[in-house]
Amino acid sequence: MVQMETAADVRRDQVFQVEGHGIDPIPDAERHGSAKDVFWLWFGSNLTFTYVINGALAVAFGLSFWQATAVVVLGGLSFFVIGAAGLSGVRTGTATLVISRAAFGVRGNWPAGLLNWVVSIGYTIVNTVVGTLALDALFADLGWSGGQTSRAAALFVTLALTFAVALWGHATVQFAERWMAYALALGFAGLLVFVLPGADTAVPAEGPGAAGWSLAFVVMLAGPFSYLPMPADYTRYLPRTTSLKALTWSGALGGFLSSVALGVAGVAAATQADMTDAVAGAEGLLPGWFQPLFLALILGGSVTNSIITLYSSSLNLQVLGIPWSRARAIVISAAVTALGSLGALFLTDFTTSLLAFLSLLIIVFAPWGGVFLADMVLRRCAYDSAALHAGPDGGYWYRSGWHPAGIAALLAGMVFAALTCDSELWTGPLVAPLGGADLTLLGAVVSAVVYVLLARRDVTPARP
C-alpha cells in the first residue's frame, strides 16, 4: 500500500514538480481543478502582441476602425468553439490528438499529428523570436547594447523561461498562466488607455472589398483555429463532473477578452501610425516612461503563448509514437525551437519563409478542425477511452488504421481550401474569380458537412 501511494504521489499534478503523466488517461482519483482554471489558461496565453499585429493588419487590408473592430470581435467569438472542444478531455482524460484517432483512425491521425507538431514548433519559434527582440530592445534601453551578444543572452532568457514552465508540466503551466495574466492584463490595459483615445474612426473613401474582408477574417480566425488540436491537453485533469456550459463559457471568455482587447488596440494604433514594424509603430504612440514596460509586456506575452504550444508539442510527440515520457519528449521540441530561433534571429529570410509556410498550413488545419468537431458532435463527446489507446485491438482501428469517412472528408476540405487560398506561397485558382476573396477557413465547413454525410450512420456515442 505504501508503494502504491508513493507512485501516485510521483504522478500527481503539482506546481513546480515534473508532471508524471503524458497522453495516458488521467485516473479519476487524480482529477482536480475547475472550469475557472481554463479561463486563466486561455486568458493568459492570448495576452500576446500577435493580436495587436492582427488588428493592425485588418486596417492595412482597407477596413475602417469600426469594420476592423467588428472582425476582431467576431474572431474572438470563435473561442466558444475552443472552450467547448475541451469537453473531450474531461470525458477521456487524454490529449486532443489522441481523441482525434476516433475521427481519422489511429494511422490516419498520424499525418495531421506530425503537421501539428511542426505548426506548434513553428509558432513557438515565432513567439520566441518576438520575445527575444523585445528583451534585446529592453536591454538597449537599460544601457546594454551588445549586438549579437545581448541578442544571444535575450534568446537564452526567453527560452529558459518557456522551457522551465513547460517542462514542469500541466500544474505549473496553469499556475504560470494565471499569475502572468494578472501582470500582463494590467500592462496591456495601459496600452489601451494610451492608444484608444487617438483612434481615427473615419470611414476610408474606398471600401475594403471582398479580398480585404476575407483576409481580415483569415488573420483573426487563424489564431483560434491553431488551438483546435490542444484544448483537451488542458482539461484532461478536470473532474468528470465538470459541465459543458461552465467549460465553454470559461474558455470562451478567457480567449475572447484578451484577444479582442489587444486586437482593438492594434486597430486603433494602425489608424494613427505606420504599423509596418508593429512594435516600433505602437511604441511611438506611448509616453517615454511606458516604453520599457511595453517591451516587457511583449516578452511576457510571447512567453505565455510559447509555454502552451511547447507543452502540447511534447504530448504530440508521444502521439506520434516516441516511446519517451512527456518530460523527455519536450527536450526534442525545445532543442528544435532553439535551433529554429537561432536561424530566425540571424537569418532574416528564414523568418519570412517560416511565417509564409505556417500561414499555408491552414489548408490542412481548417479542414482537420471541421472533421474533429463534427465527429465530436456526432458522438456527443462520448468516446471509448480504452479504444483510443488500444491500437489494432480497439474500435478506432477501422480499416488498417484508417477511417475512410474521416480521410475523405479531410481531403474534400483540403481541396476546397487549396482552391480558395490566397497566401504568399500559393494562390488558388478560384481566388481571382471570387474577386480576390480568401475562403480557406470555409474548408472546415466543407469537411464537416462531408463527414456528417459519410459517417452519420456509423459514428455513434460510445456506451459508458
Side-chain angles (χ1 to χ4, degrees), residues 46 84 237 304 366 449 463:
N46 285 285
Y237 278 94
T304 59
V449 171
R463 295 182 178 181

Side-chain angles (χ1 to χ4, degrees), residues 10 24 106 110-111 147 160 179 209 213 233 259 265 281 320 337 353 378 380 385 464:
V10 171
D24 52 304
V106 176
W110 200 92
W179 287 97
W213 280 105
D233 301 3
S259 65
L320 294 175
T337 298
S353 300
L378 288 177
R380 299 176 187 172
S385 298

